[in-house]
Amino acid sequence: MSDVFERVKNIIVERLGVEDEKVTMEATFKDDLGADSLDVVELVMELEDEFGLQFSDEDSEKIVTVGDAVKYIESKL
Amino acid sequence: MNLEGKKALVTGASRGIGREIALELARCGADVVVNYAGNEQLAQEVVEEIRKLGKKSMAIRANVADSQEVEQMVKEAIDYLGGLHILVNNAGITRDQLIVRMKESEWDEVLDVNLKGVFLTTKAVTRQMMKQKQGRIINISSIVGASGNAGQANYVAAKSGIIGLTKTTAKELASRNITVNAVAPGFITTDMTSQLTEDVKNDLAKQIPLGRLGEPKDIAKTVAFLSSDNSSYITGQTIHVNGGMYM
């Protein structure tokens, strides 16, 4: 698993209070991890700080699964 | 009202109600950024008065209807203040005209500043307030937003829109400990009402149960309350401050 995935996972576990093993590339933020829309916005804000990136509003809206976030970050690094 | 240590941004704060709100928040202990659209000198005078109170203050020019200027302003304000707990969306203009004579441009100008400006500024501060898990947003509506007023279709539509926007923002941000309320002034003596003759003002006063026109400080003190910890269980509300003129 990539380093990006591990860092993203740590943030998700801390922010949403979910168990490690639930955070997979396929897990959806809303259905699988129990995040509401505002949680997702906050997660994106934290990921921006963690990786020194800016997610545009259009790109943020497309992030549904953990994998979406990881791939997006990897494409920007 | 104690606002010691709080950081505030007030739009349209170079004169009138906005000026008094900025000063009142500072008197209660807040550091205040004074936004203005055109009159730098007046804005600077407000800044000087706030500094005399021993509080940090600076003026930032920005048209609240312009998203880029708003984002830049909010960034500068947060950098300067080191946080942002209180946003007062006060900036507003009038272009009064009967609907039959109102130009499309007059409609657009008023809606852009008075309603879109509230949306843009709120959007720009939301990140910071969500991170802090603390915030107070106070939107200045108007009595006419509830009652209607001939000759002010654009202004009334915007001020009424602010009430709906306030409720929605309150619902979206409540879980992050951010409260959002509106204050709806009645007839307040400012530049906006100074064109009225004494006779008209006296007639107006007769229609007001408390028997006088309002003053900017009547509004400012309500805003200070809504900015404080004393109002922590109030959100999504419109507080009418109008001497009983509209109930």
Side-chain angles (χ1 to χ4, degrees), chain A residues 38-39 42 48-49 57, chain B residues 123 127 130-131 172 176:
Chain A
L38 223 46
D39 288 325
E42 284 185 332
E48 286 180 339
D49 290 345
D57 285 348
Chain B
K123 180 176 172 179
R127 265 169 183 263
M130 278 167 62
K131 276 188 190 168
E172 287 191 11
R176 267 44 175 189

Side-chain angles (χ1 to χ4, degrees), chain A residues 31-46:
Chain A
D31 293 333
D32 297 333
L33 302 174
D36 66 18
S37 317
L38 223 46
D39 288 325
V40 176
V41 172
E42 284 185 332
L43 268 173
V44 166
M45 278 161 44
E46 264 196 70

Side-chain angles (χ1 to χ4, degrees), chain A residues 5-67:
Chain A
F5 173 75
E6 284 302 321
R7 284 161 75 189
V8 169
K9 182 165 119 177
N10 288 340
I11 288 175
I12 293 169
V13 167
E14 195 181 323
R15 160 73 53 182
L16 299 178
V18 292
E19 283 159 31
D20 272 36
E21 52 267 32
K22 282 201 167 175
V23 186
T24 61
M25 286 289 272
E26 294 74 33
T28 62
F29 287 106
K30 288 184 185 165
D31 293 333
D32 297 333
L33 302 174
D36 66 18
S37 317
L38 223 46
D39 288 325
V40 176
V41 172
E42 284 185 332
L43 268 173
V44 166
M45 278 161 44
E46 264 196 70
L47 294 174
E48 286 180 339
D49 290 345
E50 169 79 14
F51 293 95
L53 295 170
Q54 281 284 344
F55 291 50
S56 70
D57 285 348
E58 295 80 50
D59 291 338
S60 304
E61 280 167 20
K62 291 185 202 135
I63 292 173
V64 177
T65 66
V66 174

Side-chain angles (χ1 to χ4, degrees), chain B residues 13-25:
Chain B
S14 64
R15 57 203 172 111
I17 292 174
R19 171 193 157 90
E20 191 57 32
I21 290 169
L23 292 173
E24 181 63 23
L25 296 182

Side-chain angles (χ1 to χ4, degrees), chain B residues 10-247:
Chain B
V10 183
T11 68
S14 64
R15 57 203 172 111
I17 292 174
R19 171 193 157 90
E20 191 57 32
I21 290 169
L23 292 173
E24 181 63 23
L25 296 182
R27 283 182 209 115
C28 295
D31 295 325
V32 186
V33 166
V34 172
N35 158 258
Y36 68 100
N39 199 323
E40 186 177 0
Q41 199 191 330
L42 286 179
Q44 208 51 49
E45 284 172 26
V46 179
V47 166
E48 292 307 323
E49 277 206 47
I50 292 172
R51 287 182 179 163
K52 272 188 220 153
L53 295 163
K55 294 294 145 195
K56 282 178 77 170
S57 183
M58 74 179 285
I60 301 180
R61 201 209 73 80
N63 172 8
V64 295
D66 182 312
S67 59
Q68 285 186 333
E69 290 186 22
V70 168
E71 277 169 34
Q72 185 59 35
M73 164 178 73
V74 167
K75 192 175 173 300
E76 269 182 57
I78 291 170
D79 285 349
Y80 174 74
L81 295 169
L84 189 66
H85 308 98
I86 302 162
L87 167 66
V88 183
N89 283 307
N90 166 78
I93 59 170
T94 54
R95 298 283 182 273
D96 295 353
Q97 193 61 267
L98 294 172
I99 288 174
V100 67
R101 294 217 181 96
M102 187 176 288
K103 295 194 195 82
E104 189 180 347
S105 61
E106 291 170 331
W107 172 272
D108 287 344
E109 272 180 77
V110 170
L111 268 290
D112 278 356
V113 173
N114 296 15
L115 185 56
K116 190 169 95 175
V118 177
F119 160 67
L120 291 175
T121 315
T122 298
K123 180 176 172 179
V125 305
T126 302
R127 265 169 183 263
Q128 177 67 27
M129 288 187 177
M130 278 167 62
K131 276 188 190 168
Q132 291 169 180
K133 298 216 178 304
Q134 191 189 7
R136 293 275 188 271
I137 300 174
I138 297 108
N139 299 325
I140 305 302
S141 177
S142 168
I143 183 173
V144 301
S147 66
N149 198 25
Q152 289 196 303
N154 46 8
Y155 188 79
V156 168
K159 292 299 187 181
S160 195
I162 284 176
I163 294 173
L165 178 57
T166 298
K167 292 177 186 180
T168 300
T169 318
K171 287 190 176 183
E172 287 191 11
L173 299 178
S175 65
R176 267 44 175 189
N177 192 30
I178 299 168
T179 68
V180 189
N181 291 289
V183 174
F187 271 100
I188 308 296
T189 51
T190 66
D191 290 351
M192 250 191 220
T193 54
S194 66
Q195 301 103 313
L196 305 174
T197 64
E198 280 306 309
D199 281 353
V200 173
K201 283 186 192 167
N202 287 337
D203 281 349
L204 275 171
K206 280 182 201 147
Q207 298 166 34
I208 300 172
L210 287 176
R212 65 170 176 90
L213 301 192
E215 291 173 31
K217 73 171 193 310
D218 294 314
I219 307 306
K221 288 190 185 292
T222 307
V223 172
F225 167 66
L226 291 172
S227 304
S228 75
D229 294 339
N230 293 343
S231 64
S232 58
Y233 200 53
I234 302 175
T235 197
Q237 305 303 310
T238 300
I239 313 293
H240 287 271
V241 182
N242 58 28
M245 190 177 181
Y246 174 90
M247 298 182 186

